[in-house]
Amino acid sequence: MSGSGGALLLLAAAAAALLGAPAAAQPVGETSCRPVRAAFQVLQPGAKWVPESPVPGSDLQVCIPKGSTCCSRKMEEKYQATARLNMEQVLQSASMELKFLVIQNAAVFQEAFEIVVRHARNFTNSMFRTHYQSMGPRALKFVGELFTDVSLYILGSDISVNDMINEFFDSLFPLVYSHLINPGFPDPSVEMTECLRAARRDLKVFGNYPKMMMTQVSKSLQATRAFLQALNLGIEVINTTDHLKFSKDCGRALLKMWYCSHCQGLLLAKPCAGYCGVVMQGCLAGVVEIDKHWREYIGSLEGLTKGMHGIYDMEHVLLNLFSLVRDAIVYVQKNGGKLSTTLSRLCGHAQQRQYRSANYPEDLFVDKKVLKVTHIEPEETLSSRRRELITKLKSHSSFYSSLPEYVCSHSSAVQNDTLCWNGQEVVERYSPQITRNGAKTQPGNHEVKMKGPEPVISQIIDKLKHINQLLKGMALPHRKAPGKTPEEEEESGDCDDEDDCGGGSGNGELRVRNQLRFLAELAYDLDVDDASANKQLLNQQSKDGAAVPSSDPGSAAPRPSPAAAVALVLPLLLGHQP
């Protein structure tokens, strides 16, 4: 044999050993299992059931050798458990950004909504304390009960909005009657109080304001609750797919793809990308079925958020609620003479008194300085935060359909399918098996036998279908501004006439814009009884170096500047870092 011919034979033998060709399947030396043993000790320190030299491997079920092997049955079982754990960790890594996005926003919005409810309650309390001092202390109890019910409703409690508002006005009217219609008259008896409560609805003593409040509060809270429910379901969907229990066939396929090469001593062999794709399409076939419903979920949530304006926006509705209550009381006062006569005859206990009609100018009840609104940047609103969330969610709309590709690209698969592991040996080039995503396309998958979606996947798909129907069924109207493109309209944060931004006052002087700087400017107007809210705000002020106002009701605490107030409240609502 010539020198050149011998060199070629040596090169061919080396290539055969590297690629795992039949020439490499011959019996190996006594020391060939030591690298495998050392690598396995990392997974299972102290394991004593690792062969020191090749064994027949007749008891193996997945990594079945063509000749001898460096694996035992217990090693095979450990490798399979490790492969399953690897799969779960890769899936959790894939969803980490999406999961954090949904969890963070669910927490931020829930806290923001609770803060809006507290502010709305405090505005209403302040209105009673300032302008109806005689009945203020007793009215605060009814205000507190109303907004407690509002908070519970947002969190999912089975409470009727109409019932909570009816109860509020039923309880309020005896106070209004005894303090405003018949001032100085003794407090009504229990029988008189019940009569006044019943007469309130029959006589419509507050006019159309209770019905107006019911409509606005009901629509805005329904939208808010559905929004939070949808975010919480999004978390549940991701958690479910993060912790799937894969089928027996999938576990065997993962073992074969990631660790059977070790049994042949090929510790550095990497799976072919095409082969990995086939395995993942089989293992994740049920998960990929979520894709259609996940895309629809994001689209339905986007439709809901676009419609959350005007009476469908709880910020706007609740922060203007004190104005509706005030207008309802003014309505009673203006009709007090006729009401007093009717109620005297109806309830039979009221002493007829001459009603002293008075003119109640609109600016008597609310300090216009409190309602002063400065220029507000769109990015400081909760509506803009919702738009930002939807934009980010849309970038994850293909999350479930792209999972197989993600796993393969993050598990060291050889992308060009050359010199890679095909589940049995290292090949020069892998010829990919053509398959598509989804359970219905997997019967021809030779690597993983598909028996249908896991029950937990079917359950989560049913929940997605339900929330999608709920969101679409709400059919919130989308604001249409003349002369604006849809993109420009989506960026607009202004209230138009269709949104009924004027609340119940009707004269335009008392409009409250449902944006966050308004909350910040009124941070000083917190109810002194709201200890938890005060503590939270005061602690934030202390951190920012702002002056802490006295909590003594009689003290004249300085009002924080708008800039300081913005720094105080916005981080709480939007989660912005200083």
Side-chain angles (χ1 to χ4, degrees), residues 278-578:
V278 172
V279 172
M280 289 303 131
Q281 285 165 359
C283 283
L284 298 173
V287 177
V288 172
E289 291 294 313
I290 298 175
D291 179 69
K292 170 188 174 182
H293 309 285
W294 177 254
R295 292 174 185 267
E296 187 178 348
Y297 161 80
I298 294 176
S300 300
L301 193 57
E302 179 181 22
L304 175 69
T305 58
K306 284 184 176 180
M308 291 175 71
H309 61 85
I311 63 171
Y312 293 92
D313 180 2
M314 70 160 289
E315 298 167 80
H316 163 67
V317 170
L318 294 188
L319 296 181
N320 281 283
L321 213 57
F322 77 95
S323 180
L324 277 179
V325 174
R326 177 215 62 201
D327 290 344
I329 295 174
V330 169
Y331 182 89
V332 175
Q333 290 176 286
K334 289 179 178 179
N335 295 277
K338 183 165 55 176
L339 273 177
S340 183
T341 301
T342 303
L343 289 171
S344 177
R345 183 176 65 254
L346 182 64
C347 292
H349 295 283
Q351 177 181 347
Q352 181 66 38
R353 296 171 59 90
Q354 181 180 2
Y355 179 73
R356 293 172 293 177
S357 179
N359 180 30
Y360 297 95
E362 293 294 334
D363 59 1
L364 171 65
F365 297 93
V366 182
D367 182 359
K368 290 184 177 180
K369 293 182 180 179
V370 171
L371 296 178
K372 180 181 179 182
V373 179
T374 59
H375 175 67
I376 299 169
E377 297 298 329
E379 63 268 21
E380 293 175 350
T381 69
L382 283 180
S383 60
S384 67
R385 178 74 184 229
R386 286 192 291 263
R387 289 197 300 269
E388 179 185 349
L389 168 62
I390 295 300
T391 299
K392 291 181 178 180
L393 276 179
K394 288 168 75 172
S395 69
H396 294 279
S397 60
S398 62
F399 172 73
Y400 285 104
S401 63
S402 63
L403 266 182
E405 180 182 355
Y406 178 92
V407 174
C408 291
S409 65
H410 288 74
S411 60
S412 302
V414 179
Q415 297 303 313
N416 61 5
D417 284 330
T418 59
L419 295 179
C420 53
W421 176 256
N422 71 352
Q424 295 180 338
E425 59 186 356
V426 173
V427 294
E428 292 187 26
R429 178 168 293 277
Y430 177 79
S431 299
Q433 174 185 339
I434 300 176
T435 59
R436 291 181 297 171
N437 285 336
K440 296 180 180 179
T441 64
Q442 298 307 311
N445 191 321
H446 301 299
E447 300 297 337
V448 183
K449 294 180 181 179
M450 185 65 196
K451 299 179 181 179
E454 294 292 326
V456 68
I457 295 294
S458 299
Q459 291 172 8
I460 211 67
I461 287 176
D462 288 342
K463 290 183 179 181
L464 281 172
K465 288 180 179 179
H466 175 75
I467 197 69
N468 290 339
Q469 291 175 352
L470 174 66
L471 297 180
K472 291 179 179 179
M474 297 191 70
L476 304 187
H478 293 178
R479 180 194 316 164
K480 295 181 180 179
K484 288 188 177 183
T485 66
E487 292 77 12
E488 291 173 334
E489 178 56 39
E490 185 174 337
E491 293 300 320
S492 173
D494 298 333
C495 277
D496 52 27
D497 293 336
E498 181 185 352
D499 291 341
D500 190 25
C501 294
S505 60
N507 62 3
E509 294 295 326
L510 299 171
R511 295 190 176 187
V512 179
R513 295 184 66 182
N514 56 315
Q515 296 183 317
L516 298 184
R517 187 174 291 176
F518 174 72
L519 289 180
E521 289 183 348
L522 289 177
Y524 62 84
D525 197 28
L526 285 174
D527 190 342
V528 294
D529 295 331
D530 189 357
S532 61
N534 275 338
K535 182 177 180 181
Q536 187 177 30
L537 291 169
L538 294 177
N539 287 343
Q540 184 67 29
Q541 277 187 315
S542 299
K543 292 178 182 178
D544 295 342
V548 179
S550 170
S551 59
D552 182 1
S555 65
R559 296 178 178 178
S561 66
V566 168
L568 176 67
V569 174
L570 288 184
L572 291 175
L573 293 179
L574 296 184
H576 291 165
Q577 298 299 321

Side-chain angles (χ1 to χ4, degrees), residues 139-171:
L140 301 191
K141 175 178 180 290
F142 306 136
V143 172
E145 291 173 349
L146 171 64
F147 285 102
T148 296
D149 287 342
V150 167
S151 294
L152 293 174
Y153 181 89
I154 292 173
L155 296 176
S157 179
D158 187 17
I159 300 176
S160 167
V161 172
N162 287 1
D163 287 349
M164 70 173 76
I165 292 176
N166 270 328
E167 178 61 27
F168 171 73
F169 280 107
D170 287 348
S171 301

Side-chain angles (χ1 to χ4, degrees), residues 7-25 266 419-420 425-428:
L8 288 174
L9 287 175
L10 289 173
L11 288 173
L18 174 64
L19 298 178
L266 302 173
L419 295 179
C420 53
E425 59 186 356
V426 173
V427 294
E428 292 187 26

Side-chain angles (χ1 to χ4, degrees), residues 36-201:
V36 177
R37 182 183 180 89
F40 188 78
Q41 292 283 349
V42 176
L43 294 178
Q44 188 74 35
K48 298 180 179 180
W49 22 267
V50 183
E52 294 186 1
S53 59
V55 295
S58 57
D59 60 340
L60 298 184
Q61 294 185 340
V62 180
C63 302
I64 301 174
K66 293 182 179 179
S68 56
T69 179
C70 289
C71 285
S72 66
R73 176 67 182 277
K74 288 187 176 180
M75 288 178 65
E76 191 181 55
E77 292 174 353
K78 177 61 180 179
Y79 274 139
Q80 182 168 165
T82 303
R84 288 176 175 272
L85 180 60
N86 289 348
M87 183 69 169
E88 184 173 330
Q89 290 175 342
V90 173
L91 289 180
Q92 291 174 7
S93 173
S95 67
M96 185 178 300
E97 181 182 347
L98 173 59
K99 188 174 182 178
F100 178 76
L101 173 68
V102 181
I103 289 177
Q104 181 195 42
N105 277 276
V108 165
F109 279 111
Q110 182 166 319
E111 176 65 18
F113 294 150
E114 290 173 358
I115 291 176
V116 169
V117 171
R118 289 204 298 269
H119 276 271
R121 183 197 65 199
N122 293 332
F123 298 162
T124 309
N125 283 345
S126 295
M127 184 268 291
F128 275 109
R129 280 183 172 139
T130 303
H131 306 294
Y132 300 105
Q133 295 180 4
S134 61
M135 65 177 184
R138 296 177 62 182
L140 301 191
K141 175 178 180 290
F142 306 136
V143 172
E145 291 173 349
L146 171 64
F147 285 102
T148 296
D149 287 342
V150 167
S151 294
L152 293 174
Y153 181 89
I154 292 173
L155 296 176
S157 179
D158 187 17
I159 300 176
S160 167
V161 172
N162 287 1
D163 287 349
M164 70 173 76
I165 292 176
N166 270 328
E167 178 61 27
F168 171 73
F169 280 107
D170 287 348
S171 301
L172 182 63
F173 180 58
L175 282 181
V176 173
Y177 179 82
S178 60
H179 289 83
L180 299 180
I181 295 180
N182 285 301
F185 191 76
D187 288 342
S189 64
V190 174
E191 293 80 6
M192 179 69 170
T193 298
E194 290 304 315
C195 181
L196 292 174
R197 287 171 61 93
R200 196 279 300 176
R201 302 190 197 187

